[in-house]
Amino acid sequence: MGDSESRKTEIFINGKTRTFDVDDPDLPDWVEEEALASGNFPYRKKLSKKKYEKELYDLQKELVKVQYWLQATGGRVMALFEGRDAAGKGGTIAATLQYMNPRSARAVALSKPTEKERTQWYFQRYVEHFPSGGEFVAFDRSWYNRAGVEPVMGFCTPEEHRAFLKAVPNFEQMIVNDDIHFFKFWLNIGREMQLKRFHDRANDPLKTWKLSPMDIAALNKWDDYTQKRDQMMLETHSGQAPWTVVRANDKRRARLNVIRHILLHLQYDGKDREAIGEIDHDIIGQGPDLLD
């Protein structure tokens, strides 16, 4: 990449100004050393691949049972996955849906709204993707774009942001009242971990599509995103539609505990409680308690 397209950035982090070049093939030592522990992550080693694959296999067998149960009963499941860029939303959704029938288990990842959609009720383009009977739908980002990305990047007005936060609790209460099994996950990562994942994407030809110009533009807006995240949690976390926060520096632990959480909250036929295992409360919890 030429100098005219350089993505080298000065970042103020942990009381120091650091130079971060996402395109330099060598990851800076200060990122590598701090990534896993960033954001108060409680573990100093990732879960082993062998243990992860064994536990994931057991959980995915349970998810297949969930799908049969939904088809038999007409039940509906909807899960929102939110978090900063590179938090692991897409990978968690992929692990969840991997062995479910795609005819009735699907991911929704919407692009920016069209000119027509901008004239509609804000929630309208999301509602058309809600689950029908027997379906399991996972949103890779959702209407909560208006709680974080849009106000931080200037894509909505302060008035639109305030109106959104006021409307969300009633909107989500309607979802719950209609007997949809509704989950909201916030995948939380530390700042150095985000930088590491950006670097991985920029230097892997199979992942470069994941790194957008907006990701680079947001590198120095960490605190702005944090403020909007905390406001979102305060105003949209409720007993009926709670936020489940997941410490996601270790993708393996995050995925396992997200799936466990879903399985434990569904009363499906043939449920194998032993196979599901125990929630790691250092990784996942309700509300903002696990946020850095």
Side-chain angles (χ1 to χ4, degrees), residues 182-234:
F182 184 50
F183 300 92
K184 300 191 302 189
F185 294 103
W186 176 269
L187 274 56
N188 203 59
I189 56 172
R191 195 171 188 189
E192 287 88 348
M193 180 55 75
Q194 186 188 55
L195 294 175
K196 183 180 186 303
R197 291 181 183 174
F198 279 178
H199 183 271
D200 291 345
R201 291 177 175 185
N203 291 277
D204 184 337
L206 298 180
K207 297 180 180 179
T208 53
W209 63 272
K210 291 186 175 184
L211 189 64
S212 71
M214 190 180 300
D215 295 334
I216 303 301
L219 278 175
N220 281 306
K221 296 182 180 293
W222 181 272
D223 292 341
D224 295 333
Y225 274 103
T226 299
Q227 189 274 328
K228 290 297 187 290
R229 176 201 66 186
D230 293 349
Q231 183 181 6
M232 176 195 76
M233 286 281 173
L234 179 65

Side-chain angles (χ1 to χ4, degrees), residues 259-275:
I259 297 172
R260 283 194 183 104
H261 178 86
I262 293 171
L263 293 172
L264 289 171
H265 284 79
L266 298 176
Q267 302 308 315
Y268 58 94
D269 296 335
K271 186 172 185 175
D272 186 340
R273 184 64 181 76
E274 184 176 350

